[in-house]
């Protein structure tokens, strides 16, 4: 999904909620998402902080494989989890690092 679409959906949901405080889980997922958010939302939303819960890859893999036993998700297998963790390190980790700086 293009970042512009995701940001527009988030903005619409925020504006129609009647609230002024939000916790957005799982976004941005990559630097392009973050850049789009800043371009479209900087005048509307002031990011107070990023909440980062660190979990070692081994534990995350074990949790996802356990979830796969009952979730019915076909992507909760070792190969898919390994690929998702590589994508996370390449795409999402730089966002976390940018908030540290």
């Amino acid at each position: 999904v293009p970042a512009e679409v995701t940001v527009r959906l988030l903005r619409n949901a925020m504006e129609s909620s009647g609230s002024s405080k939000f916790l957005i889980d799982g976004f941005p997922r990559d630097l392009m998402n973050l850049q789009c958010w800043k371009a479209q939302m900087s005048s509307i939303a002031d990011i107070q902080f990023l909440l980062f819960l660190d979990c070692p890859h081994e534990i995350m893999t074990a949790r996802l494989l356990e979830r796969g036993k009952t979730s019915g998700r076909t992507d909760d297998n070792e190969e898919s989890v390994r690929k998702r963790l590589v994508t996370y390190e390449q795409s999402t980790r730089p966002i976390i690092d940018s908030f540290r700086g």
Side-chain angles (χ1 to χ4, degrees):
V1 178
E4 293 80 10
V5 172
T6 305
V7 170
R8 184 175 56 247
L9 291 169
L10 287 167
R11 180 179 182 162
N12 291 345
M14 291 167 68
E15 289 176 343
S16 65
S17 74
S19 184
S20 63
K21 295 182 182 179
F22 304 93
L23 174 64
I24 301 174
D25 180 26
F27 186 87
R29 290 189 181 263
D30 59 35
L31 289 173
M32 185 67 87
N33 285 174
L34 181 59
Q35 291 167 351
C36 184
W37 175 271
K38 288 179 177 179
Q40 293 186 26
M41 299 293 288
S42 289
S43 63
I44 299 165
D46 179 31
I47 298 174
Q48 298 291 315
F49 64 92
L50 175 130
L51 178 61
F52 172 58
L53 304 174
D54 196 13
C55 182
H57 287 194
E58 302 79 32
I59 292 173
M60 182 59 65
T61 300
R63 288 179 179 179
L64 291 172
L65 293 176
E66 187 63 30
R67 178 182 76 176
K69 293 176 182 178
T70 59
S71 70
R73 290 182 58 149
T74 59
D75 63 339
D76 280 346
N77 62 70
E78 194 149 355
E79 181 182 347
S80 294
V81 169
R82 203 173 316 116
K83 288 179 182 178
R84 291 197 320 245
L85 290 171
V86 168
T87 299
Y88 168 81
E89 288 297 335
Q90 293 174 345
S91 299
T92 306
R93 178 72 72 169
I95 295 167
I96 296 160
D97 294 340
S98 77
F99 275 87
R100 287 187 175 132

PDB file of all heavy atoms in Angstrom, residues 49-73:
ATOM      1  N   PHE A  49       6.716  10.662  21.287  1.00  0.00           N
ATOM      2  CA  PHE A  49       7.747   9.652  21.512  1.00  0.00           C
ATOM      3  C   PHE A  49       7.464   8.422  20.673  1.00  0.00           C
ATOM      4  O   PHE A  49       6.383   8.269  20.117  1.00  0.00           O
ATOM      5  CB  PHE A  49       7.826   9.261  22.997  1.00  0.00           C
ATOM      6  CG  PHE A  49       6.587   8.609  23.522  1.00  0.00           C
ATOM      7  CD1 PHE A  49       6.443   7.228  23.509  1.00  0.00           C
ATOM      8  CD2 PHE A  49       5.551   9.371  24.037  1.00  0.00           C
ATOM      9  CE1 PHE A  49       5.297   6.630  23.991  1.00  0.00           C
ATOM     10  CE2 PHE A  49       4.396   8.785  24.519  1.00  0.00           C
ATOM     11  CZ  PHE A  49       4.273   7.401  24.499  1.00  0.00           C
ATOM     12  N   LEU A  50       8.446   7.576  20.604  1.00  0.00           N
ATOM     13  CA  LEU A  50       8.315   6.273  19.964  1.00  0.00           C
ATOM     14  C   LEU A  50       8.497   5.236  21.057  1.00  0.00           C
ATOM     15  O   LEU A  50       9.467   5.285  21.807  1.00  0.00           O
ATOM     16  CB  LEU A  50       9.395   6.109  18.885  1.00  0.00           C
ATOM     17  CG  LEU A  50       9.431   4.745  18.229  1.00  0.00           C
ATOM     18  CD1 LEU A  50       9.431   4.911  16.723  1.00  0.00           C
ATOM     19  CD2 LEU A  50      10.670   3.991  18.658  1.00  0.00           C
ATOM     20  N   LEU A  51       7.557   4.333  21.167  1.00  0.00           N
ATOM     21  CA  LEU A  51       7.637   3.252  22.143  1.00  0.00           C
ATOM     22  C   LEU A  51       8.195   2.037  21.431  1.00  0.00           C
ATOM     23  O   LEU A  51       7.602   1.529  20.480  1.00  0.00           O
ATOM     24  CB  LEU A  51       6.249   2.939  22.713  1.00  0.00           C
ATOM     25  CG  LEU A  51       6.168   1.785  23.708  1.00  0.00           C
ATOM     26  CD1 LEU A  51       7.019   2.072  24.936  1.00  0.00           C
ATOM     27  CD2 LEU A  51       4.719   1.536  24.089  1.00  0.00           C
ATOM     28  N   PHE A  52       9.360   1.587  21.863  1.00  0.00           N
ATOM     29  CA  PHE A  52      10.040   0.474  21.222  1.00  0.00           C
ATOM     30  C   PHE A  52      10.208  -0.648  22.228  1.00  0.00           C
ATOM     31  O   PHE A  52      10.848  -0.476  23.263  1.00  0.00           O
ATOM     32  CB  PHE A  52      11.404   0.938  20.700  1.00  0.00           C
ATOM     33  CG  PHE A  52      12.281  -0.175  20.196  1.00  0.00           C
ATOM     34  CD1 PHE A  52      11.868  -1.004  19.177  1.00  0.00           C
ATOM     35  CD2 PHE A  52      13.536  -0.384  20.746  1.00  0.00           C
ATOM     36  CE1 PHE A  52      12.678  -2.023  18.706  1.00  0.00           C
ATOM     37  CE2 PHE A  52      14.362  -1.396  20.293  1.00  0.00           C
ATOM     38  CZ  PHE A  52      13.922  -2.214  19.268  1.00  0.00           C
ATOM     39  N   LEU A  53       9.595  -1.781  21.937  1.00  0.00           N
ATOM     40  CA  LEU A  53       9.725  -2.955  22.789  1.00  0.00           C
ATOM     41  C   LEU A  53      10.673  -3.924  22.083  1.00  0.00           C
ATOM     42  O   LEU A  53      10.351  -4.434  21.006  1.00  0.00           O
ATOM     43  CB  LEU A  53       8.364  -3.608  23.021  1.00  0.00           C
ATOM     44  CG  LEU A  53       7.293  -2.690  23.618  1.00  0.00           C
ATOM     45  CD1 LEU A  53       5.958  -3.398  23.675  1.00  0.00           C
ATOM     46  CD2 LEU A  53       7.710  -2.201  24.991  1.00  0.00           C
ATOM     47  N   ASP A  54      11.821  -4.138  22.658  1.00  0.00           N
ATOM     48  CA  ASP A  54      12.842  -4.969  22.031  1.00  0.00           C
ATOM     49  C   ASP A  54      12.641  -6.426  22.427  1.00  0.00           C
ATOM     50  O   ASP A  54      12.433  -6.740  23.591  1.00  0.00           O
ATOM     51  CB  ASP A  54      14.225  -4.492  22.473  1.00  0.00           C
ATOM     52  CG  ASP A  54      15.329  -5.027  21.591  1.00  0.00           C
ATOM     53  OD1 ASP A  54      15.035  -5.559  20.518  1.00  0.00           O
ATOM     54  OD2 ASP A  54      16.500  -4.895  21.985  1.00  0.00           O
ATOM     55  N   CYS A  55      12.714  -7.297  21.440  1.00  0.00           N
ATOM     56  CA  CYS A  55      12.570  -8.722  21.672  1.00  0.00           C
ATOM     57  C   CYS A  55      13.609  -9.433  20.812  1.00  0.00           C
ATOM     58  O   CYS A  55      13.626  -9.235  19.589  1.00  0.00           O
ATOM     59  CB  CYS A  55      11.157  -9.168  21.288  1.00  0.00           C
ATOM     60  SG  CYS A  55      10.846 -10.916  21.579  1.00  0.00           S
ATOM     61  N   PRO A  56      14.461 -10.234  21.411  1.00  0.00           N
ATOM     62  CA  PRO A  56      15.465 -10.954  20.609  1.00  0.00           C
ATOM     63  C   PRO A  56      14.801 -11.802  19.525  1.00  0.00           C
ATOM     64  O   PRO A  56      13.708 -12.349  19.719  1.00  0.00           O
ATOM     65  CB  PRO A  56      16.174 -11.838  21.639  1.00  0.00           C
ATOM     66  CG  PRO A  56      15.942 -11.155  22.951  1.00  0.00           C
ATOM     67  CD  PRO A  56      14.582 -10.517  22.835  1.00  0.00           C
ATOM     68  N   HIS A  57      15.471 -11.908  18.391  1.00  0.00           N
ATOM     69  CA  HIS A  57      14.910 -12.651  17.258  1.00  0.00           C
ATOM     70  C   HIS A  57      14.564 -14.088  17.620  1.00  0.00           C
ATOM     71  O   HIS A  57      13.556 -14.627  17.149  1.00  0.00           O
ATOM     72  CB  HIS A  57      15.876 -12.626  16.077  1.00  0.00           C
ATOM     73  CG  HIS A  57      15.922 -11.289  15.403  1.00  0.00           C
ATOM     74  ND1 HIS A  57      16.493 -11.105  14.175  1.00  0.00           N
ATOM     75  CD2 HIS A  57      15.481 -10.062  15.774  1.00  0.00           C
ATOM     76  CE1 HIS A  57      16.401  -9.848  13.819  1.00  0.00           C
ATOM     77  NE2 HIS A  57      15.797  -9.188  14.774  1.00  0.00           N
ATOM     78  N   GLU A  58      15.372 -14.715  18.454  1.00  0.00           N
ATOM     79  CA  GLU A  58      15.104 -16.110  18.826  1.00  0.00           C
ATOM     80  C   GLU A  58      13.774 -16.235  19.571  1.00  0.00           C
ATOM     81  O   GLU A  58      13.007 -17.172  19.332  1.00  0.00           O
ATOM     82  CB  GLU A  58      16.236 -16.672  19.698  1.00  0.00           C
ATOM     83  CG  GLU A  58      17.608 -16.635  19.063  1.00  0.00           C
ATOM     84  CD  GLU A  58      18.272 -15.251  19.115  1.00  0.00           C
ATOM     85  OE1 GLU A  58      18.041 -14.484  20.078  1.00  0.00           O
ATOM     86  OE2 GLU A  58      18.989 -14.933  18.159  1.00  0.00           O
ATOM     87  N   ILE A  59      13.517 -15.320  20.469  1.00  0.00           N
ATOM     88  CA  ILE A  59      12.270 -15.358  21.236  1.00  0.00           C
ATOM     89  C   ILE A  59      11.091 -15.020  20.330  1.00  0.00           C
ATOM     90  O   ILE A  59      10.042 -15.671  20.388  1.00  0.00           O
ATOM     91  CB  ILE A  59      12.348 -14.397  22.446  1.00  0.00           C
ATOM     92  CG1 ILE A  59      13.376 -14.938  23.448  1.00  0.00           C
ATOM     93  CG2 ILE A  59      10.977 -14.217  23.092  1.00  0.00           C
ATOM     94  CD1 ILE A  59      13.662 -14.014  24.602  1.00  0.00           C
ATOM     95  N   MET A  60      11.263 -14.021  19.467  1.00  0.00           N
ATOM     96  CA  MET A  60      10.183 -13.660  18.547  1.00  0.00           C
ATOM     97  C   MET A  60       9.860 -14.826  17.620  1.00  0.00           C
ATOM     98  O   MET A  60       8.685 -15.139  17.383  1.00  0.00           O
ATOM     99  CB  MET A  60      10.578 -12.433  17.718  1.00  0.00           C
ATOM    100  CG  MET A  60       9.493 -11.960  16.774  1.00  0.00           C
ATOM    101  SD  MET A  60       7.939 -11.519  17.581  1.00  0.00           S
ATOM    102  CE  MET A  60       8.446 -10.135  18.553  1.00  0.00           C
ATOM    103  N   THR A  61      10.882 -15.495  17.123  1.00  0.00           N
ATOM    104  CA  THR A  61      10.662 -16.648  16.254  1.00  0.00           C
ATOM    105  C   THR A  61       9.885 -17.742  16.992  1.00  0.00           C
ATOM    106  O   THR A  61       8.903 -18.282  16.474  1.00  0.00           O
ATOM    107  CB  THR A  61      12.001 -17.198  15.726  1.00  0.00           C
ATOM    108  OG1 THR A  61      12.660 -16.163  14.973  1.00  0.00           O
ATOM    109  CG2 THR A  61      11.804 -18.408  14.850  1.00  0.00           C
ATOM    110  N   ALA A  62      10.303 -18.040  18.205  1.00  0.00           N
ATOM    111  CA  ALA A  62       9.614 -19.065  18.992  1.00  0.00           C
ATOM    112  C   ALA A  62       8.158 -18.684  19.246  1.00  0.00           C
ATOM    113  O   ALA A  62       7.254 -19.530  19.139  1.00  0.00           O
ATOM    114  CB  ALA A  62      10.346 -19.281  20.321  1.00  0.00           C
ATOM    115  N   ARG A  63       7.907 -17.420  19.562  1.00  0.00           N
ATOM    116  CA  ARG A  63       6.528 -16.972  19.808  1.00  0.00           C
ATOM    117  C   ARG A  63       5.663 -17.091  18.562  1.00  0.00           C
ATOM    118  O   ARG A  63       4.508 -17.533  18.627  1.00  0.00           O
ATOM    119  CB  ARG A  63       6.524 -15.528  20.309  1.00  0.00           C
ATOM    120  CG  ARG A  63       7.031 -15.387  21.716  1.00  0.00           C
ATOM    121  CD  ARG A  63       7.016 -13.939  22.149  1.00  0.00           C
ATOM    122  NE  ARG A  63       7.477 -13.817  23.526  1.00  0.00           N
ATOM    123  CZ  ARG A  63       7.582 -12.668  24.164  1.00  0.00           C
ATOM    124  NH1 ARG A  63       7.270 -11.536  23.555  1.00  0.00           N
ATOM    125  NH2 ARG A  63       8.010 -12.637  25.399  1.00  0.00           N
ATOM    126  N   LEU A  64       6.229 -16.681  17.420  1.00  0.00           N
ATOM    127  CA  LEU A  64       5.457 -16.749  16.182  1.00  0.00           C
ATOM    128  C   LEU A  64       5.193 -18.188  15.747  1.00  0.00           C
ATOM    129  O   LEU A  64       4.113 -18.505  15.246  1.00  0.00           O
ATOM    130  CB  LEU A  64       6.165 -15.963  15.076  1.00  0.00           C
ATOM    131  CG  LEU A  64       6.174 -14.444  15.285  1.00  0.00           C
ATOM    132  CD1 LEU A  64       7.068 -13.768  14.251  1.00  0.00           C
ATOM    133  CD2 LEU A  64       4.771 -13.867  15.251  1.00  0.00           C
ATOM    134  N   LEU A  65       6.171 -19.043  15.939  1.00  0.00           N
ATOM    135  CA  LEU A  65       5.962 -20.455  15.604  1.00  0.00           C
ATOM    136  C   LEU A  65       4.906 -21.081  16.514  1.00  0.00           C
ATOM    137  O   LEU A  65       4.086 -21.883  16.069  1.00  0.00           O
ATOM    138  CB  LEU A  65       7.280 -21.227  15.676  1.00  0.00           C
ATOM    139  CG  LEU A  65       8.316 -20.846  14.614  1.00  0.00           C
ATOM    140  CD1 LEU A  65       9.622 -21.596  14.835  1.00  0.00           C
ATOM    141  CD2 LEU A  65       7.784 -21.054  13.214  1.00  0.00           C
ATOM    142  N   GLU A  66       4.915 -20.697  17.769  1.00  0.00           N
ATOM    143  CA  GLU A  66       3.893 -21.190  18.702  1.00  0.00           C
ATOM    144  C   GLU A  66       2.517 -20.661  18.297  1.00  0.00           C
ATOM    145  O   GLU A  66       1.527 -21.394  18.310  1.00  0.00           O
ATOM    146  CB  GLU A  66       4.244 -20.769  20.128  1.00  0.00           C
ATOM    147  CG  GLU A  66       3.360 -21.365  21.189  1.00  0.00           C
ATOM    148  CD  GLU A  66       3.436 -22.887  21.273  1.00  0.00           C
ATOM    149  OE1 GLU A  66       4.496 -23.478  20.968  1.00  0.00           O
ATOM    150  OE2 GLU A  66       2.412 -23.498  21.640  1.00  0.00           O
ATOM    151  N   ARG A  67       2.458 -19.372  17.940  1.00  0.00           N
ATOM    152  CA  ARG A  67       1.188 -18.797  17.492  1.00  0.00           C
ATOM    153  C   ARG A  67       0.676 -19.537  16.260  1.00  0.00           C
ATOM    154  O   ARG A  67      -0.526 -19.763  16.116  1.00  0.00           O
ATOM    155  CB  ARG A  67       1.374 -17.307  17.166  1.00  0.00           C
ATOM    156  CG  ARG A  67       0.116 -16.648  16.636  1.00  0.00           C
ATOM    157  CD  ARG A  67       0.315 -15.208  16.285  1.00  0.00           C
ATOM    158  NE  ARG A  67       1.047 -15.049  15.029  1.00  0.00           N
ATOM    159  CZ  ARG A  67       1.288 -13.882  14.459  1.00  0.00           C
ATOM    160  NH1 ARG A  67       0.879 -12.755  15.041  1.00  0.00           N
ATOM    161  NH2 ARG A  67       1.945 -13.805  13.324  1.00  0.00           N
ATOM    162  N   GLY A  68       1.596 -19.913  15.382  1.00  0.00           N
ATOM    163  CA  GLY A  68       1.223 -20.600  14.152  1.00  0.00           C
ATOM    164  C   GLY A  68       0.522 -21.919  14.368  1.00  0.00           C
ATOM    165  O   GLY A  68      -0.207 -22.395  13.495  1.00  0.00           O
ATOM    166  N   LYS A  69       0.706 -22.505  15.525  1.00  0.00           N
ATOM    167  CA  LYS A  69       0.057 -23.790  15.812  1.00  0.00           C
ATOM    168  C   LYS A  69      -1.458 -23.669  15.923  1.00  0.00           C
ATOM    169  O   LYS A  69      -2.181 -24.630  15.707  1.00  0.00           O
ATOM    170  CB  LYS A  69       0.615 -24.388  17.106  1.00  0.00           C
ATOM    171  CG  LYS A  69       2.069 -24.805  16.993  1.00  0.00           C
ATOM    172  CD  LYS A  69       2.593 -25.295  18.333  1.00  0.00           C
ATOM    173  CE  LYS A  69       4.068 -25.670  18.248  1.00  0.00           C
ATOM    174  NZ  LYS A  69       4.588 -26.101  19.565  1.00  0.00           N
ATOM    175  N   THR A  70      -1.943 -22.472  16.277  1.00  0.00           N
ATOM    176  CA  THR A  70      -3.378 -22.292  16.475  1.00  0.00           C
ATOM    177  C   THR A  70      -3.973 -21.140  15.671  1.00  0.00           C
ATOM    178  O   THR A  70      -5.192 -21.014  15.604  1.00  0.00           O
ATOM    179  CB  THR A  70      -3.680 -22.033  17.965  1.00  0.00           C
ATOM    180  OG1 THR A  70      -2.978 -20.865  18.390  1.00  0.00           O
ATOM    181  CG2 THR A  70      -3.298 -23.228  18.813  1.00  0.00           C
ATOM    182  N   SER A  71      -3.128 -20.317  15.073  1.00  0.00           N
ATOM    183  CA  SER A  71      -3.631 -19.106  14.418  1.00  0.00           C
ATOM    184  C   SER A  71      -4.248 -19.360  13.051  1.00  0.00           C
ATOM    185  O   SER A  71      -5.056 -18.564  12.585  1.00  0.00           O
ATOM    186  CB  SER A  71      -2.503 -18.077  14.255  1.00  0.00           C
ATOM    187  OG  SER A  71      -1.557 -18.515  13.274  1.00  0.00           O
ATOM    188  N   GLY A  72      -3.823 -20.436  12.419  1.00  0.00           N
ATOM    189  CA  GLY A  72      -4.282 -20.671  11.056  1.00  0.00           C
ATOM    190  C   GLY A  72      -3.521 -19.852  10.026  1.00  0.00           C
ATOM    191  O   GLY A  72      -3.792 -19.925   8.834  1.00  0.00           O
ATOM    192  N   ARG A  73      -2.555 -19.064  10.483  1.00  0.00           N
ATOM    193  CA  ARG A  73      -1.751 -18.245   9.564  1.00  0.00           C
ATOM    194  C   ARG A  73      -0.682 -19.120   8.922  1.00  0.00           C
ATOM    195  O   ARG A  73       0.133 -19.717   9.609  1.00  0.00           O
ATOM    196  CB  ARG A  73      -1.088 -17.091  10.322  1.00  0.00           C
ATOM    197  CG  ARG A  73      -2.053 -16.040  10.785  1.00  0.00           C
ATOM    198  CD  ARG A  73      -1.330 -14.922  11.465  1.00  0.00           C
ATOM    199  NE  ARG A  73      -0.339 -14.322  10.583  1.00  0.00           N
ATOM    200  CZ  ARG A  73       0.022 -13.044  10.633  1.00  0.00           C
ATOM    201  NH1 ARG A  73      -0.511 -12.257  11.529  1.00  0.00           N
ATOM    202  NH2 ARG A  73       0.927 -12.588   9.814  1.00  0.00           N
TER     203      ARG A  73
END
